[in-house]
Amino acid sequence: MSLSSISAVIIAHNAEATLAECLRCLERLDEVVVYENGSTDRTAEIARSFTNVRLEQGAFLGFGPSKNKATSFARNDWVLSLDSDEEASAELLDELAAMELGDAQNLYAVLRQNFMLGKHVKHSGWGNDWLPRLYNRSAHGYNDAMVHENIIPQPGAQLQRLKNPIRHRAVDDLSQFLVKIDRYTELRVQEGAKGYGPLVSLLKANWAFIRSYILRLGFLDGWRGMVIAWSDASGVFYRCMKCYARDQRALQKPDDSL
């Protein structure tokens, strides 16, 4: 099967630091769709510099809906879904080129290797990260989750694992944790996630730290594991408290003092 039957699809926002390498790894494909969402950096310019890239621009609708929107622009039904900070290995492209993609019900998972400041993180919930990424859009699609989106296998789908990985530049600067916490928790607020009061929020945050650092063996990742666990805990705390604050504001009467 030729790679010409597969379209890579990427959503991108202010991705100039990683997009060029992501696209460079996909130059063997005839079509790569980049759906760009209101970037203020060189993201669109970088996308236009690749001859096999089709640049589409539109609003960010949440991660799941945005990925489905981006997929609608593809010429092929078989889609390789990537993020703008991920890189497909040459071995993965060789594997795709040799595949027979006949049954649209088939769904293929790829092992994502997550890197933090240049080092492969193998624990902390970042290891063994298998994600469905190659699918036929006539049979499958992303759910409507605003964040932590996923492809839900349809009844009768055959989920298979590919042999070769993708590389994820998850964190190149620790400040990215703060940006992601704020962005993802805001999306969960918009999604209508349940809010919890201060005590329950603190307990949930503590559990998130224990789960990441101890149960998921984050301590084996050294100081990186500590940072990831603290970030997980902070994300849970601010998600719970932001949703709680949203609910409290909704209960206020118009003449209530702030």
Side-chain angles (χ1 to χ4, degrees):
M1 179 69 70
S2 170
L3 289 175
S4 62
S5 65
I6 300 173
S7 295
V9 176
I10 300 161
I11 64 172
H13 173 75
N14 287 344
E16 67 176 5
T18 59
L19 183 60
E21 191 56 40
C22 172
L23 297 178
R24 195 169 294 117
C25 295
L26 299 171
E27 288 184 313
R28 291 169 59 186
L29 273 65
D30 289 348
E31 181 183 60
V32 177
V33 175
V34 174
Y35 181 61
E36 188 271 318
N37 316 132
S39 299
T40 56
D41 63 3
R42 297 176 54 251
T43 295
E45 178 184 342
I46 291 169
R48 290 191 184 99
S49 69
F50 287 82
T51 58
N52 65 334
V53 169
R54 174 176 179 175
L55 175 65
E56 298 288 345
Q57 295 173 292
F60 179 73
L61 310 170
F63 282 98
S66 293
K67 289 188 175 182
N68 287 331
K69 178 69 174 178
T71 298
S72 71
F73 295 112
R75 183 174 66 245
N76 297 302
D77 284 337
W78 281 101
V79 171
L80 175 64
S81 180
L82 293 175
D83 292 337
S84 59
D85 57 359
E86 294 174 343
E87 301 164 14
S89 63
E91 294 79 9
L92 175 60
L93 292 181
D94 290 340
E95 183 178 2
L96 297 180
M99 291 175 62
E100 291 294 335
L101 297 173
D103 190 348
Q105 290 296 321
N106 287 343
L107 184 61
Y108 299 91
V110 179
L111 178 62
R112 181 170 68 173
Q113 298 175 337
N114 297 292
F115 287 77
M116 177 178 172
L117 279 76
K119 183 174 181 179
H120 183 195
V121 176
K122 299 180 180 180
H123 308 95
S124 305
W126 285 24
N128 198 33
D129 192 11
W130 287 93
L131 299 171
R133 289 299 188 86
L134 178 66
Y135 65 99
N136 191 299
R137 66 180 176 186
S138 69
H140 307 286
Y142 279 91
N143 58 19
D144 291 329
M146 296 288 286
V147 66
H148 301 312
E149 73 290 351
N150 206 350
I151 297 173
I152 305 300
Q154 299 300 312
Q158 297 293 321
L159 181 61
Q160 303 176 41
R161 289 184 172 185
L162 299 178
K163 296 178 181 178
N164 296 287
I166 58 176
R167 175 188 172 107
H168 179 212
R169 288 173 56 182
V171 175
D172 288 332
D173 187 296
L174 291 186
S175 62
Q176 290 177 256
F177 278 115
L178 305 179
V179 174
K180 288 181 178 181
I181 287 171
D182 185 52
R183 186 183 187 194
Y184 288 2
T185 54
E186 284 297 317
L187 289 172
R188 292 304 303 276
V189 170
Q190 297 172 27
E191 196 175 36
K194 185 177 180 180
Y196 297 92
L199 179 58
V200 175
S201 296
L202 185 60
L203 291 173
K204 284 180 169 291
N206 285 336
W207 167 246
F209 182 90
I210 292 170
R211 181 180 57 199
S212 178
Y213 195 66
I214 298 177
L215 300 183
R216 293 178 175 172
L217 307 180
F219 60 89
L220 295 178
D221 293 314
W223 66 267
R224 288 174 173 82
M226 174 68 74
V227 173
I228 292 169
W230 189 263
S231 175
D232 288 347
S234 298
V236 169
F237 180 79
Y238 281 105
R239 182 197 74 215
C240 292
M241 287 303 300
K242 283 186 177 184
C243 292
Y244 179 76
R246 173 206 61 202
D247 296 341
Q248 292 300 302
R249 287 195 298 268
L251 294 173
Q252 286 182 338
K253 297 178 181 180
D255 58 349
D256 282 347
S257 58
L258 298 178

PDB file of all heavy atoms in Angstrom, residues 90-121:
ATOM      1  N   ALA A  90      10.993   7.364  11.060  1.00  0.00           N
ATOM      2  CA  ALA A  90      11.147   6.859   9.693  1.00  0.00           C
ATOM      3  C   ALA A  90      10.700   5.402   9.614  1.00  0.00           C
ATOM      4  O   ALA A  90      10.115   4.965   8.609  1.00  0.00           O
ATOM      5  CB  ALA A  90      12.607   6.990   9.263  1.00  0.00           C
ATOM      6  N   GLU A  91      10.944   4.643  10.679  1.00  0.00           N
ATOM      7  CA  GLU A  91      10.534   3.241  10.715  1.00  0.00           C
ATOM      8  C   GLU A  91       9.019   3.111  10.688  1.00  0.00           C
ATOM      9  O   GLU A  91       8.473   2.180  10.086  1.00  0.00           O
ATOM     10  CB  GLU A  91      11.102   2.558  11.958  1.00  0.00           C
ATOM     11  CG  GLU A  91      12.610   2.428  11.988  1.00  0.00           C
ATOM     12  CD  GLU A  91      13.327   3.721  12.392  1.00  0.00           C
ATOM     13  OE1 GLU A  91      12.641   4.678  12.816  1.00  0.00           O
ATOM     14  OE2 GLU A  91      14.566   3.758  12.283  1.00  0.00           O
ATOM     15  N   LEU A  92       8.329   4.043  11.340  1.00  0.00           N
ATOM     16  CA  LEU A  92       6.868   4.011  11.312  1.00  0.00           C
ATOM     17  C   LEU A  92       6.355   4.245   9.903  1.00  0.00           C
ATOM     18  O   LEU A  92       5.429   3.557   9.443  1.00  0.00           O
ATOM     19  CB  LEU A  92       6.298   5.058  12.268  1.00  0.00           C
ATOM     20  CG  LEU A  92       4.772   5.206  12.256  1.00  0.00           C
ATOM     21  CD1 LEU A  92       4.088   3.893  12.642  1.00  0.00           C
ATOM     22  CD2 LEU A  92       4.321   6.328  13.184  1.00  0.00           C
ATOM     23  N   LEU A  93       6.943   5.202   9.190  1.00  0.00           N
ATOM     24  CA  LEU A  93       6.518   5.456   7.817  1.00  0.00           C
ATOM     25  C   LEU A  93       6.814   4.255   6.916  1.00  0.00           C
ATOM     26  O   LEU A  93       6.014   3.929   6.021  1.00  0.00           O
ATOM     27  CB  LEU A  93       7.186   6.712   7.278  1.00  0.00           C
ATOM     28  CG  LEU A  93       6.744   8.024   7.943  1.00  0.00           C
ATOM     29  CD1 LEU A  93       7.454   9.204   7.312  1.00  0.00           C
ATOM     30  CD2 LEU A  93       5.242   8.206   7.857  1.00  0.00           C
ATOM     31  N   ASP A  94       7.939   3.579   7.134  1.00  0.00           N
ATOM     32  CA  ASP A  94       8.226   2.353   6.384  1.00  0.00           C
ATOM     33  C   ASP A  94       7.144   1.309   6.653  1.00  0.00           C
ATOM     34  O   ASP A  94       6.691   0.609   5.731  1.00  0.00           O
ATOM     35  CB  ASP A  94       9.590   1.787   6.786  1.00  0.00           C
ATOM     36  CG  ASP A  94      10.754   2.636   6.300  1.00  0.00           C
ATOM     37  OD1 ASP A  94      10.561   3.431   5.352  1.00  0.00           O
ATOM     38  OD2 ASP A  94      11.860   2.506   6.870  1.00  0.00           O
ATOM     39  N   GLU A  95       6.758   1.201   7.909  1.00  0.00           N
ATOM     40  CA  GLU A  95       5.723   0.232   8.285  1.00  0.00           C
ATOM     41  C   GLU A  95       4.388   0.567   7.622  1.00  0.00           C
ATOM     42  O   GLU A  95       3.701  -0.318   7.097  1.00  0.00           O
ATOM     43  CB  GLU A  95       5.573   0.211   9.806  1.00  0.00           C
ATOM     44  CG  GLU A  95       4.583  -0.809  10.322  1.00  0.00           C
ATOM     45  CD  GLU A  95       4.513  -0.829  11.839  1.00  0.00           C
ATOM     46  OE1 GLU A  95       5.213  -0.022  12.486  1.00  0.00           O
ATOM     47  OE2 GLU A  95       3.748  -1.652  12.380  1.00  0.00           O
ATOM     48  N   LEU A  96       4.031   1.846   7.612  1.00  0.00           N
ATOM     49  CA  LEU A  96       2.773   2.264   6.984  1.00  0.00           C
ATOM     50  C   LEU A  96       2.791   1.995   5.481  1.00  0.00           C
ATOM     51  O   LEU A  96       1.782   1.591   4.893  1.00  0.00           O
ATOM     52  CB  LEU A  96       2.521   3.751   7.242  1.00  0.00           C
ATOM     53  CG  LEU A  96       2.328   4.175   8.701  1.00  0.00           C
ATOM     54  CD1 LEU A  96       2.088   5.684   8.781  1.00  0.00           C
ATOM     55  CD2 LEU A  96       1.189   3.412   9.352  1.00  0.00           C
ATOM     56  N   ALA A  97       3.933   2.231   4.882  1.00  0.00           N
ATOM     57  CA  ALA A  97       4.049   2.029   3.430  1.00  0.00           C
ATOM     58  C   ALA A  97       3.846   0.572   3.046  1.00  0.00           C
ATOM     59  O   ALA A  97       3.399   0.275   1.929  1.00  0.00           O
ATOM     60  CB  ALA A  97       5.412   2.516   2.943  1.00  0.00           C
ATOM     61  N   ALA A  98       4.155  -0.337   3.957  1.00  0.00           N
ATOM     62  CA  ALA A  98       4.062  -1.765   3.662  1.00  0.00           C
ATOM     63  C   ALA A  98       2.714  -2.371   4.046  1.00  0.00           C
ATOM     64  O   ALA A  98       2.463  -3.547   3.777  1.00  0.00           O
ATOM     65  CB  ALA A  98       5.178  -2.507   4.388  1.00  0.00           C
ATOM     66  N   MET A  99       1.842  -1.576   4.678  1.00  0.00           N
ATOM     67  CA  MET A  99       0.581  -2.113   5.168  1.00  0.00           C
ATOM     68  C   MET A  99      -0.468  -2.225   4.067  1.00  0.00           C
ATOM     69  O   MET A  99      -0.461  -1.469   3.101  1.00  0.00           O
ATOM     70  CB  MET A  99       0.032  -1.220   6.299  1.00  0.00           C
ATOM     71  CG  MET A  99       0.834  -1.283   7.570  1.00  0.00           C
ATOM     72  SD  MET A  99       0.241  -0.104   8.817  1.00  0.00           S
ATOM     73  CE  MET A  99      -1.426  -0.711   9.092  1.00  0.00           C
ATOM     74  N   GLU A 100      -1.401  -3.164   4.274  1.00  0.00           N
ATOM     75  CA  GLU A 100      -2.584  -3.273   3.434  1.00  0.00           C
ATOM     76  C   GLU A 100      -3.767  -2.714   4.219  1.00  0.00           C
ATOM     77  O   GLU A 100      -4.234  -3.326   5.171  1.00  0.00           O
ATOM     78  CB  GLU A 100      -2.840  -4.732   3.039  1.00  0.00           C
ATOM     79  CG  GLU A 100      -1.811  -5.304   2.083  1.00  0.00           C
ATOM     80  CD  GLU A 100      -1.845  -4.638   0.712  1.00  0.00           C
ATOM     81  OE1 GLU A 100      -2.907  -4.099   0.333  1.00  0.00           O
ATOM     82  OE2 GLU A 100      -0.808  -4.637   0.028  1.00  0.00           O
ATOM     83  N   LEU A 101      -4.214  -1.545   3.833  1.00  0.00           N
ATOM     84  CA  LEU A 101      -5.288  -0.886   4.555  1.00  0.00           C
ATOM     85  C   LEU A 101      -6.616  -1.128   3.842  1.00  0.00           C
ATOM     86  O   LEU A 101      -7.155  -0.240   3.187  1.00  0.00           O
ATOM     87  CB  LEU A 101      -4.991   0.613   4.668  1.00  0.00           C
ATOM     88  CG  LEU A 101      -3.737   0.976   5.471  1.00  0.00           C
ATOM     89  CD1 LEU A 101      -3.444   2.467   5.378  1.00  0.00           C
ATOM     90  CD2 LEU A 101      -3.896   0.543   6.927  1.00  0.00           C
ATOM     91  N   GLY A 102      -7.144  -2.338   4.010  1.00  0.00           N
ATOM     92  CA  GLY A 102      -8.362  -2.677   3.299  1.00  0.00           C
ATOM     93  C   GLY A 102      -9.627  -2.479   4.102  1.00  0.00           C
ATOM     94  O   GLY A 102     -10.614  -1.923   3.615  1.00  0.00           O
ATOM     95  N   ASP A 103      -9.640  -2.917   5.358  1.00  0.00           N
ATOM     96  CA  ASP A 103     -10.842  -2.909   6.175  1.00  0.00           C
ATOM     97  C   ASP A 103     -10.948  -1.604   6.948  1.00  0.00           C
ATOM     98  O   ASP A 103     -10.135  -1.306   7.828  1.00  0.00           O
ATOM     99  CB  ASP A 103     -10.816  -4.095   7.146  1.00  0.00           C
ATOM    100  CG  ASP A 103     -12.139  -4.291   7.874  1.00  0.00           C
ATOM    101  OD1 ASP A 103     -13.000  -3.393   7.805  1.00  0.00           O
ATOM    102  OD2 ASP A 103     -12.305  -5.343   8.520  1.00  0.00           O
ATOM    103  N   ALA A 104     -11.977  -0.812   6.654  1.00  0.00           N
ATOM    104  CA  ALA A 104     -12.147   0.486   7.305  1.00  0.00           C
ATOM    105  C   ALA A 104     -12.421   0.358   8.795  1.00  0.00           C
ATOM    106  O   ALA A 104     -12.258   1.334   9.545  1.00  0.00           O
ATOM    107  CB  ALA A 104     -13.283   1.262   6.633  1.00  0.00           C
ATOM    108  N   GLN A 105     -12.857  -0.827   9.252  1.00  0.00           N
ATOM    109  CA  GLN A 105     -13.131  -1.022  10.676  1.00  0.00           C
ATOM    110  C   GLN A 105     -11.851  -1.157  11.491  1.00  0.00           C
ATOM    111  O   GLN A 105     -11.887  -1.013  12.711  1.00  0.00           O
ATOM    112  CB  GLN A 105     -13.992  -2.266  10.873  1.00  0.00           C
ATOM    113  CG  GLN A 105     -15.421  -2.118  10.372  1.00  0.00           C
ATOM    114  CD  GLN A 105     -16.200  -1.067  11.134  1.00  0.00           C
ATOM    115  OE1 GLN A 105     -16.076  -0.943  12.344  1.00  0.00           O
ATOM    116  NE2 GLN A 105     -16.996  -0.293  10.414  1.00  0.00           N
ATOM    117  N   ASN A 106     -10.736  -1.438  10.831  1.00  0.00           N
ATOM    118  CA  ASN A 106      -9.484  -1.581  11.559  1.00  0.00           C
ATOM    119  C   ASN A 106      -9.040  -0.248  12.145  1.00  0.00           C
ATOM    120  O   ASN A 106      -9.223   0.812  11.540  1.00  0.00           O
ATOM    121  CB  ASN A 106      -8.388  -2.125  10.645  1.00  0.00           C
ATOM    122  CG  ASN A 106      -8.584  -3.605  10.336  1.00  0.00           C
ATOM    123  OD1 ASN A 106      -9.324  -4.291  11.021  1.00  0.00           O
ATOM    124  ND2 ASN A 106      -7.926  -4.075   9.290  1.00  0.00           N
ATOM    125  N   LEU A 107      -8.459  -0.323  13.318  1.00  0.00           N
ATOM    126  CA  LEU A 107      -7.976   0.855  14.033  1.00  0.00           C
ATOM    127  C   LEU A 107      -6.594   0.516  14.575  1.00  0.00           C
ATOM    128  O   LEU A 107      -6.395  -0.563  15.141  1.00  0.00           O
ATOM    129  CB  LEU A 107      -8.941   1.189  15.181  1.00  0.00           C
ATOM    130  CG  LEU A 107      -8.705   2.438  16.015  1.00  0.00           C
ATOM    131  CD1 LEU A 107      -8.766   3.696  15.157  1.00  0.00           C
ATOM    132  CD2 LEU A 107      -9.758   2.513  17.132  1.00  0.00           C
ATOM    133  N   TYR A 108      -5.645   1.434  14.392  1.00  0.00           N
ATOM    134  CA  TYR A 108      -4.252   1.130  14.718  1.00  0.00           C
ATOM    135  C   TYR A 108      -3.728   2.073  15.793  1.00  0.00           C
ATOM    136  O   TYR A 108      -3.868   3.304  15.684  1.00  0.00           O
ATOM    137  CB  TYR A 108      -3.389   1.228  13.465  1.00  0.00           C
ATOM    138  CG  TYR A 108      -3.793   0.248  12.378  1.00  0.00           C
ATOM    139  CD1 TYR A 108      -4.723   0.607  11.410  1.00  0.00           C
ATOM    140  CD2 TYR A 108      -3.265  -1.042  12.346  1.00  0.00           C
ATOM    141  CE1 TYR A 108      -5.117  -0.290  10.428  1.00  0.00           C
ATOM    142  CE2 TYR A 108      -3.648  -1.950  11.366  1.00  0.00           C
ATOM    143  CZ  TYR A 108      -4.577  -1.560  10.412  1.00  0.00           C
ATOM    144  OH  TYR A 108      -4.966  -2.457   9.441  1.00  0.00           O
ATOM    145  N   ALA A 109      -3.123   1.481  16.816  1.00  0.00           N
ATOM    146  CA  ALA A 109      -2.543   2.250  17.909  1.00  0.00           C
ATOM    147  C   ALA A 109      -1.038   2.372  17.720  1.00  0.00           C
ATOM    148  O   ALA A 109      -0.376   1.464  17.207  1.00  0.00           O
ATOM    149  CB  ALA A 109      -2.845   1.587  19.247  1.00  0.00           C
ATOM    150  N   VAL A 110      -0.499   3.501  18.155  1.00  0.00           N
ATOM    151  CA  VAL A 110       0.931   3.784  18.047  1.00  0.00           C
ATOM    152  C   VAL A 110       1.476   4.054  19.443  1.00  0.00           C
ATOM    153  O   VAL A 110       0.820   4.710  20.265  1.00  0.00           O
ATOM    154  CB  VAL A 110       1.186   5.008  17.137  1.00  0.00           C
ATOM    155  CG1 VAL A 110       2.674   5.309  17.039  1.00  0.00           C
ATOM    156  CG2 VAL A 110       0.597   4.774  15.758  1.00  0.00           C
ATOM    157  N   LEU A 111       2.669   3.554  19.722  1.00  0.00           N
ATOM    158  CA  LEU A 111       3.324   3.855  20.986  1.00  0.00           C
ATOM    159  C   LEU A 111       3.927   5.254  20.918  1.00  0.00           C
ATOM    160  O   LEU A 111       4.745   5.545  20.050  1.00  0.00           O
ATOM    161  CB  LEU A 111       4.428   2.839  21.280  1.00  0.00           C
ATOM    162  CG  LEU A 111       5.234   3.088  22.570  1.00  0.00           C
ATOM    163  CD1 LEU A 111       4.336   3.015  23.798  1.00  0.00           C
ATOM    164  CD2 LEU A 111       6.382   2.091  22.690  1.00  0.00           C
ATOM    165  N   ARG A 112       3.503   6.116  21.837  1.00  0.00           N
ATOM    166  CA  ARG A 112       4.047   7.471  21.899  1.00  0.00           C
ATOM    167  C   ARG A 112       5.125   7.532  22.985  1.00  0.00           C
ATOM    168  O   ARG A 112       4.854   7.270  24.154  1.00  0.00           O
ATOM    169  CB  ARG A 112       2.951   8.495  22.196  1.00  0.00           C
ATOM    170  CG  ARG A 112       3.469   9.917  22.233  1.00  0.00           C
ATOM    171  CD  ARG A 112       2.341  10.928  22.280  1.00  0.00           C
ATOM    172  NE  ARG A 112       1.611  10.887  23.543  1.00  0.00           N
ATOM    173  CZ  ARG A 112       0.668  11.773  23.869  1.00  0.00           C
ATOM    174  NH1 ARG A 112       0.327  12.735  23.013  1.00  0.00           N
ATOM    175  NH2 ARG A 112       0.029  11.673  25.024  1.00  0.00           N
ATOM    176  N   GLN A 113       6.340   7.872  22.562  1.00  0.00           N
ATOM    177  CA  GLN A 113       7.440   8.045  23.503  1.00  0.00           C
ATOM    178  C   GLN A 113       7.494   9.507  23.916  1.00  0.00           C
ATOM    179  O   GLN A 113       7.697  10.393  23.090  1.00  0.00           O
ATOM    180  CB  GLN A 113       8.752   7.622  22.851  1.00  0.00           C
ATOM    181  CG  GLN A 113       8.800   6.152  22.443  1.00  0.00           C
ATOM    182  CD  GLN A 113      10.062   5.790  21.702  1.00  0.00           C
ATOM    183  OE1 GLN A 113      10.719   6.652  21.114  1.00  0.00           O
ATOM    184  NE2 GLN A 113      10.413   4.514  21.711  1.00  0.00           N
ATOM    185  N   ASN A 114       7.276   9.767  25.197  1.00  0.00           N
ATOM    186  CA  ASN A 114       7.183  11.129  25.707  1.00  0.00           C
ATOM    187  C   ASN A 114       8.524  11.609  26.251  1.00  0.00           C
ATOM    188  O   ASN A 114       9.135  10.929  27.080  1.00  0.00           O
ATOM    189  CB  ASN A 114       6.115  11.194  26.805  1.00  0.00           C
ATOM    190  CG  ASN A 114       4.731  10.862  26.276  1.00  0.00           C
ATOM    191  OD1 ASN A 114       4.168  11.610  25.496  1.00  0.00           O
ATOM    192  ND2 ASN A 114       4.176   9.726  26.699  1.00  0.00           N
ATOM    193  N   PHE A 115       8.938  12.794  25.789  1.00  0.00           N
ATOM    194  CA  PHE A 115      10.225  13.359  26.182  1.00  0.00           C
ATOM    195  C   PHE A 115      10.020  14.653  26.965  1.00  0.00           C
ATOM    196  O   PHE A 115       9.201  15.496  26.603  1.00  0.00           O
ATOM    197  CB  PHE A 115      11.081  13.633  24.947  1.00  0.00           C
ATOM    198  CG  PHE A 115      11.624  12.395  24.300  1.00  0.00           C
ATOM    199  CD1 PHE A 115      10.815  11.592  23.510  1.00  0.00           C
ATOM    200  CD2 PHE A 115      12.943  12.012  24.499  1.00  0.00           C
ATOM    201  CE1 PHE A 115      11.304  10.435  22.918  1.00  0.00           C
ATOM    202  CE2 PHE A 115      13.446  10.855  23.907  1.00  0.00           C
ATOM    203  CZ  PHE A 115      12.628  10.068  23.122  1.00  0.00           C
ATOM    204  N   MET A 116      10.791  14.794  28.030  1.00  0.00           N
ATOM    205  CA  MET A 116      10.778  16.005  28.847  1.00  0.00           C
ATOM    206  C   MET A 116      12.193  16.540  28.929  1.00  0.00           C
ATOM    207  O   MET A 116      13.092  15.863  29.432  1.00  0.00           O
ATOM    208  CB  MET A 116      10.246  15.702  30.248  1.00  0.00           C
ATOM    209  CG  MET A 116      10.264  16.884  31.202  1.00  0.00           C
ATOM    210  SD  MET A 116       9.568  16.413  32.811  1.00  0.00           S
ATOM    211  CE  MET A 116       9.959  17.889  33.768  1.00  0.00           C
ATOM    212  N   LEU A 117      12.403  17.724  28.389  1.00  0.00           N
ATOM    213  CA  LEU A 117      13.714  18.341  28.339  1.00  0.00           C
ATOM    214  C   LEU A 117      14.755  17.376  27.775  1.00  0.00           C
ATOM    215  O   LEU A 117      15.846  17.196  28.311  1.00  0.00           O
ATOM    216  CB  LEU A 117      14.141  18.855  29.718  1.00  0.00           C
ATOM    217  CG  LEU A 117      13.554  20.221  30.122  1.00  0.00           C
ATOM    218  CD1 LEU A 117      12.107  20.090  30.531  1.00  0.00           C
ATOM    219  CD2 LEU A 117      14.360  20.871  31.246  1.00  0.00           C
ATOM    220  N   GLY A 118      14.387  16.722  26.680  1.00  0.00           N
ATOM    221  CA  GLY A 118      15.306  15.871  25.944  1.00  0.00           C
ATOM    222  C   GLY A 118      15.457  14.451  26.444  1.00  0.00           C
ATOM    223  O   GLY A 118      16.169  13.658  25.819  1.00  0.00           O
ATOM    224  N   LYS A 119      14.785  14.094  27.542  1.00  0.00           N
ATOM    225  CA  LYS A 119      14.929  12.731  28.073  1.00  0.00           C
ATOM    226  C   LYS A 119      13.616  11.982  27.983  1.00  0.00           C
ATOM    227  O   LYS A 119      12.548  12.509  28.309  1.00  0.00           O
ATOM    228  CB  LYS A 119      15.396  12.774  29.527  1.00  0.00           C
ATOM    229  CG  LYS A 119      15.645  11.378  30.111  1.00  0.00           C
ATOM    230  CD  LYS A 119      16.242  11.443  31.503  1.00  0.00           C
ATOM    231  CE  LYS A 119      16.501  10.034  32.043  1.00  0.00           C
ATOM    232  NZ  LYS A 119      17.110  10.058  33.388  1.00  0.00           N
ATOM    233  N   HIS A 120      13.706  10.726  27.546  1.00  0.00           N
ATOM    234  CA  HIS A 120      12.539   9.862  27.440  1.00  0.00           C
ATOM    235  C   HIS A 120      12.056   9.513  28.848  1.00  0.00           C
ATOM    236  O   HIS A 120      12.779   8.920  29.648  1.00  0.00           O
ATOM    237  CB  HIS A 120      12.919   8.590  26.675  1.00  0.00           C
ATOM    238  CG  HIS A 120      11.777   7.663  26.433  1.00  0.00           C
ATOM    239  ND1 HIS A 120      11.951   6.358  26.032  1.00  0.00           N
ATOM    240  CD2 HIS A 120      10.438   7.849  26.522  1.00  0.00           C
ATOM    241  CE1 HIS A 120      10.779   5.778  25.890  1.00  0.00           C
ATOM    242  NE2 HIS A 120       9.838   6.664  26.187  1.00  0.00           N
ATOM    243  N   VAL A 121      10.806   9.881  29.155  1.00  0.00           N
ATOM    244  CA  VAL A 121      10.216   9.587  30.460  1.00  0.00           C
ATOM    245  C   VAL A 121       9.448   8.277  30.356  1.00  0.00           C
ATOM    246  O   VAL A 121       8.494   8.157  29.581  1.00  0.00           O
ATOM    247  CB  VAL A 121       9.281  10.728  30.910  1.00  0.00           C
ATOM    248  CG1 VAL A 121       8.597  10.377  32.232  1.00  0.00           C
ATOM    249  CG2 VAL A 121      10.061  12.029  31.044  1.00  0.00           C
TER     250      VAL A 121
END
